[in-house]
Amino acid sequence: MKNRFNNNPPLLYGMVGGGLTSQIGDSHRVALNRDNYYKLVAGAFDIDWERGQQYGKSLGLQSERVYENYIEMARKESSREDKINVVGIMTPNNTHYSIAKQFIEEGINVILEKPITTNSNDAHNLIKLAKKRNVLCSSMYGYSGYPMVRQAKAMVLAGQLGKIRVIQTEFAHGNCATAAEKHSDGAAWRNDPKTSGDSFVLADVGTHALHLATFITGQQVLEVSTDRQSFVSGRVLEDNAHVLLRFEKGASGFLWASGIAVGHRHGLAIRVFGSEGSIEWCQEKPNQLKFSILGQTTRILELDSPELHPPAKRLLRVGAGHPEGYFEAFSNIYSDFAELLLAKLNGEAPDPLCLDIPTLEDGAKGVEFLEACVKSSKKNGKWVKTTFIDQ
């Protein structure tokens, strides 16, 4: 993606979490280092102060801008002339609200990992606070940065599938088919209600599948019927879940989230069926979008296909035959965020094609989806309404 603000100094970026033991920190650092939009200058990388300090040093940061905790970081950065413009928050779920709130109150823009909070009240409080402080925020649904996901969205919007009837989405892997939490810090906190909240796989990967479905189709979920299971002995939170979905414009759907799907490596996929056609996309084969039109032979759209819409073409980074990957998708989200922020700072209108970044509102919808799923599963799969609130 070309940086149309190349003459501007880079946005100064800070990171909370994402340290030595983080599973996601490198993804964020790779994303922010592309396209010349950002410069990492500050961080509170670890709950262990010495380890965090050493890690910041290894990244080349000034020692005075490697902080012991996020409160110190937010207060000291906000008082600097060269304060950070953006903070990325990549910590356990139960800390998201307090950290994001601290930085928003200081007027610092936020990129927040999902789920953005562990309850919907906190999620909507963040939305209200961000609007009050005029702060730009995004929830990090990074998979919506793939070119073929943007292509799928554009095709649905253009009516190429007709009226949407059925939406099937899934994120199923086998990495927790055994008690991974006994030897992995990342798996441990994700399986602990004190840090993860009331859900494991639905919160960790199911919300990605949900966002993919709503992002591509432009439809929100009105009701859910959920069955959650914990198959691994001793595990409190669910490691598998099946969710029936009813969408606002009449479509029916199904979401499968799993950590015990042996043989699945990183199984994020979606299928959308309309009255005139269908699309299918799998994250492990990101270059290809399967497209079927009623009465015609199924075709495979590629990155160099002439049928690609502008939202997809804009994100292409490599030549035909080379895969657009996971890091590129993250980079596209980061660069869209930078475009929006720089346009705001320069008093310019943003490029309309960068408006597809996942918002705090998208994050709140994910949290409310989780609450509805938990409630439904406790009632033996009874249909439960989601309570999405327009802000």
Side-chain angles (χ1 to χ4, degrees):
M1 183 186 294
K2 292 183 179 179
N3 181 350
R4 70 186 183 99
F5 293 98
N6 236 338
N7 293 328
N8 284 59
L11 294 166
L12 300 183
Y13 179 93
M15 183 174 285
V16 178
L20 183 64
T21 61
S22 172
Q23 294 181 338
I24 200 69
D26 281 341
S27 300
H28 285 266
R29 279 185 289 276
V30 169
L32 68 93
N33 282 328
R34 297 193 183 207
D35 303 325
N36 301 314
Y37 279 113
Y38 302 90
K39 181 180 180 182
L40 177 63
V41 298
F45 297 102
D46 205 304
I47 196 170
D48 183 315
W49 163 229
E50 290 188 5
R51 187 167 61 187
Q53 191 177 45
Q54 287 298 315
Y55 195 71
K57 182 179 179 180
S58 74
L59 295 174
L61 272 60
Q62 298 175 4
S63 59
E64 66 182 36
R65 300 188 80 168
V66 180
Y67 299 96
E68 186 170 359
N69 57 64
Y70 73 89
I71 296 175
E72 178 191 28
M73 177 177 168
R75 289 176 178 171
K76 288 188 176 181
E77 282 296 319
S78 64
S79 65
R80 295 178 63 108
E81 275 192 33
D82 60 344
K83 70 178 181 180
I84 56 172
N85 304 105
V86 185
V87 65
I89 301 171
M90 49 216 74
T91 56
N93 302 348
N94 67 318
T95 66
H96 288 175
Y97 175 70
S98 59
I99 299 173
K101 181 174 181 288
Q102 183 77 39
F103 282 94
I104 292 172
E105 286 177 338
E106 299 289 354
I108 294 172
N109 304 285
V110 173
I111 296 175
L112 180 58
E113 268 296 338
K114 39 57 52 193
I116 61 170
T117 60
T118 54
N119 67 78
S120 57
N121 286 336
D122 285 349
H124 288 292
N125 284 338
L126 287 183
I127 293 172
K128 292 175 183 176
L129 182 60
K131 288 184 176 181
K132 180 180 178 181
R133 298 289 289 129
N134 193 27
V135 167
L136 183 63
C137 298
S138 177
S139 51
M140 196 57 198
Y141 288 111
Y143 301 105
S144 60
Y146 278 100
M148 282 306 188
V149 171
R150 301 285 177 95
Q151 170 68 11
K153 178 183 176 71
M155 291 172 70
V156 171
L157 188 63
Q160 290 180 254
L161 274 61
K163 183 177 176 59
I164 303 304
R165 293 172 170 173
V166 175
I167 304 163
Q168 296 181 338
T169 185
E170 63 187 52
F171 200 149
H173 63 81
N175 299 328
C176 295
T178 59
E181 54 267 43
K182 292 183 178 180
H183 52 79
S184 165
D185 290 340
W189 75 254
R190 286 173 172 83
N191 281 281
D192 185 348
K194 294 178 182 178
T195 47
S196 181
D198 292 331
S199 169
F200 165 35
V201 292
L202 279 171
D204 190 40
V205 297
T207 50
H208 278 301
L210 172 77
H211 182 255
L212 205 62
T214 58
F215 178 79
I216 289 174
T217 66
Q219 296 193 40
Q220 298 300 334
V221 175
L222 293 182
E223 293 182 289
V224 300
S225 172
T226 307
D227 186 23
R228 299 193 300 163
Q229 305 87 32
S230 297
F231 283 107
V232 174
S233 178
R235 185 169 286 163
V236 177
L237 298 175
E238 90 285 344
D239 49 27
N240 192 79
H242 302 102
V243 187
L244 295 177
L245 309 169
R246 289 174 178 165
F247 289 84
E248 61 184 343
K249 297 179 184 177
S252 176
F254 174 76
L255 184 152
W256 175 35
S258 184
I260 51 90
V262 175
H264 277 230
R265 302 295 298 166
H266 201 264
L268 175 62
I270 186 167
R271 293 167 289 278
V272 180
F273 302 90
S275 58
E276 299 176 20
S278 69
I279 52 176
E280 181 174 347
W281 181 79
C282 175
Q283 192 257 340
E284 292 186 9
K285 298 178 180 179
N287 280 30
Q288 290 83 37
L289 181 67
K290 186 177 179 182
F291 177 35
S292 301
I293 299 176
L294 185 65
Q296 297 185 21
T297 301
T298 295
R299 68 190 73 173
I300 304 296
L301 302 185
E302 297 274 0
L303 293 179
D304 61 343
S305 295
E307 298 96 331
L308 259 58
H309 289 267
K313 289 182 179 179
R314 172 176 172 269
L315 300 185
L316 301 182
R317 295 174 177 270
V318 298
H322 298 287
E324 292 273 359
Y326 167 80
F327 288 129
E328 287 85 353
F330 262 60
S331 296
N332 291 335
I333 300 295
Y334 263 89
S335 294
D336 280 345
F337 186 92
E339 284 265 345
L340 281 177
L341 180 55
L342 287 167
K344 175 184 172 183
L345 294 174
N346 291 337
E348 301 179 15
D351 181 346
L353 294 180
C354 74
L355 298 177
D356 276 334
I357 64 165
T359 63
L360 276 189
E361 286 81 1
D362 293 321
K365 290 168 184 176
V367 175
E368 290 184 321
F369 166 78
L370 293 174
E371 290 179 335
C373 286
V374 170
K375 185 175 181 180
S376 172
S377 68
K378 289 180 177 179
K379 294 185 176 183
N380 199 30
K382 181 180 178 180
W383 283 97
V384 171
K385 293 183 180 297
T386 54
T387 55
F388 298 155
I389 303 171
D390 292 329
Q391 298 295 303

